[in-house]
Amino acid sequence: MLKKNIFTGEELEAGWRLACCLRLTSNCTIEIENKEDEIYVVSESKGETEKKSLEDAKELAIAVDIGTTTIAMQLIDQVSGGVVETFTTINKQRAFGADVISRIDASNNGKKQALRKSIQNDLLEGYQTLTKNGSVHINKMNIGANSTMVHLLMGYSCETLGVFPFKPYNIGTIKINSKSLLSEEIEEFQVEILPGVSTYVGGDITSGMYALGFQKNKEVSVLIDLGTNGEMAIGNADKIYVTSTAAGPAFEGGNISCGMPGVPGAVCRAVLFGKNNMVTKTIGNKPAIGLCGTGIIDVMYELVRHHIVDTQGILGEPWFEKGFPVVPGKIYFTQEDIRQVQMAKAAICAGLEVLLQKSNISHEQIKKVYVAGGFGMG
């Protein structure tokens, strides 16, 4: 179907058409533009004081955070504790599924070695980038990751991870030689994979608790990792309780009508003036094409603040049927989107309430709440 109000003359001449208005009459090839390699991974970059450390420091190590969606690696000066260089990438295991359950299923159905090779290649790319193809010597590599990612990296069986009683093969500290884990072609150093607590509370959370001083502070703190698998911890030096909740992908743009990962053009900030003027900011300051997690939370907050969404989560008129125009004509936030956010929020709230009950800690006793990941960096 010709759409002169949507396509330019040149695009129509080149064969551009609206896929939703076409009916196929024969076999064809469909090409989908892949934006995943452009996903913006938020991380701490090197500071001004560390720029010369690469030449001066003698004690260098690599710290790694393997997430289900993204991977962050940093070259660390062990003397000063400063960040020398940062490397981020998409966890390319996403090709086997966006969540841990999908990857567990893929591993159990013959894809175990392919999944392992995928994450090994990502880590090797990061190592080569940070060390300038091995010309910079490092002493060790420490890895924090959720328990499923550790199983996939080590090539462990995932048969018992996704079924009750969700028993992991190994969540203890793992020490392994770099040549054995990554490649025989790189220098030899020790890799230490940090221990987890349970099948769905991994070394990324234990390392976070350790860095924040949970084990020595008297004040009660909460650590929440907002994501598909919402891991959280509450406690102090006397006691620590942890859990994880199936928050779903809404915080990462999944199951949202105009939702998307954090790629250039994703709305990451939004402020509503009056009831009609939503001012937005996008990643990379590119033209708006969708909503990522932080943008979704901002839009939700603004709609509630201006009473466009009521206390029950009902989107008011005249927006109930079509959705609220975040970017008129392009990006809308619908009633179903609100329900997805409510479910994700409810899962996180339920997890926290269970922790409070089990630990006999009151809301008033909580002195600090830490939010991990991209939300925490925002």
Side-chain angles (χ1 to χ4, degrees):
M1 178 177 289
L2 295 177
K3 281 287 184 178
K4 295 182 180 180
N5 61 325
I6 295 177
F7 296 121
T8 66
E10 290 181 354
E11 288 172 333
L12 289 171
E13 189 70 25
W16 285 78
R17 299 293 186 271
L18 293 176
C20 58
C21 296
L22 283 178
R23 178 172 294 175
L24 299 180
T25 58
S26 62
N27 291 334
C28 69
T29 299
I30 299 175
E31 295 183 3
I32 300 175
E33 184 179 4
N34 183 13
K35 293 273 187 181
E36 294 217 336
D37 290 340
E38 300 179 40
I39 292 181
Y40 181 71
V41 184
V42 181
S43 66
E44 178 187 359
S45 60
K46 63 182 179 181
E48 290 295 326
T49 58
E50 284 82 34
K51 285 186 176 179
K52 294 184 179 179
S53 297
L54 193 57
E55 300 175 359
D56 303 334
K58 303 298 182 184
E59 300 290 329
L60 295 172
I62 293 178
V64 182
D65 177 14
I66 304 176
T68 309
T69 303
T70 59
I71 299 169
M73 302 174 66
Q74 292 182 327
L75 185 64
I76 304 295
D77 183 336
Q78 296 182 82
V79 177
S80 69
V83 177
V84 181
E85 296 286 351
T86 297
F87 171 86
T88 59
T89 186
I90 300 305
N91 186 334
K92 296 181 184 62
Q93 289 179 337
R94 283 175 63 87
F96 298 89
D99 55 78
V100 294
I101 299 301
S102 298
R103 294 184 208 174
I104 288 171
D105 184 63
S107 176
N108 294 338
N109 286 280
K111 302 296 185 181
K112 181 170 71 173
Q113 290 305 316
L115 283 157
R116 186 183 192 201
K117 188 64 176 177
S118 174
I119 191 65
Q120 285 175 322
N121 287 341
D122 285 340
L123 295 182
L124 187 58
E125 179 188 0
Y127 163 80
Q128 291 171 334
T129 300
L130 293 175
T131 64
K132 302 187 185 303
N133 291 320
S135 61
V136 175
H137 172 72
I138 68 168
N139 293 324
K140 63 179 180 179
M141 176 184 288
N142 284 359
I143 298 176
N146 68 57
S147 302
T148 299
M149 295 302 104
V150 172
H151 279 60
L152 297 176
L153 173 61
M154 295 301 298
Y156 295 152
S157 171
C158 294
E159 292 287 344
T160 59
L161 286 185
V163 294
F164 185 82
F166 310 107
K167 185 177 180 181
Y169 180 85
N170 180 15
I171 56 171
T173 302
I174 301 169
K175 295 183 179 181
I176 187 171
N177 186 280
S178 59
K179 290 181 176 290
S180 299
L181 182 66
L182 300 180
S183 171
E184 286 287 343
E185 304 302 318
I186 65 174
E187 69 170 323
E188 189 169 1
F189 53 86
Q190 186 179 73
V191 180
E192 183 170 326
I193 301 176
L194 304 177
V197 180
S198 66
T199 301
Y200 292 108
V201 180
D204 47 357
I205 295 298
T206 56
S207 60
M209 289 190 293
Y210 182 81
L212 295 170
F214 271 60
Q215 73 283 1
K216 60 183 180 182
N217 293 338
K218 287 298 181 182
E219 290 186 341
V220 174
S221 298
V222 171
L223 170 62
I224 301 176
D225 186 357
L226 284 179
T228 303
N229 183 40
E231 300 164 299
M232 60 191 74
I234 186 171
N236 57 9
D238 297 327
K239 57 183 178 180
I240 301 173
Y241 288 77
V242 299
T243 191
S244 64
T245 62
F251 289 135
E252 296 176 342
N255 289 350
I256 301 295
S257 58
C258 292
M260 62 189 307
V263 303
V267 172
C268 57
R269 291 287 182 267
V271 179
L272 181 60
F273 296 93
K275 290 195 173 182
N276 297 301
N277 183 23
M278 184 76 81
V279 178
T280 61
K281 178 184 177 182
T282 65
I283 294 175
N285 295 317
K286 302 292 185 181
I289 54 176
L291 292 165
C292 67
T294 53
I296 291 165
I297 297 302
D298 271 9
V299 170
M300 186 77 252
Y301 170 78
E302 291 296 312
L303 295 182
V304 171
R305 184 169 73 93
H306 286 268
H307 306 290
I308 293 171
V309 170
D310 67 18
T311 55
Q312 301 300 311
I314 303 297
L315 185 61
E317 296 294 349
W319 306 287
F320 183 82
E321 292 295 331
K322 187 176 180 180
F324 185 87
V326 178
V327 178
K330 294 183 67 175
I331 301 172
Y332 290 83
F333 198 70
T334 69
Q335 181 62 58
E336 179 57 29
D337 296 337
I338 293 168
R339 294 303 185 215
Q340 292 294 325
V341 174
Q342 284 181 303
M343 287 191 290
K345 178 187 174 184
I348 297 297
C349 288
L352 183 57
E353 289 298 324
V354 168
L355 287 181
L356 289 168
Q357 292 175 17
K358 293 291 185 181
S359 63
N360 290 319
I361 294 173
S362 67
H363 291 85
E364 292 74 22
Q365 289 176 278
I366 300 174
K367 301 303 179 183
K368 292 181 179 178
V369 176
Y370 299 98
V371 179
F375 279 90
M377 294 291 292

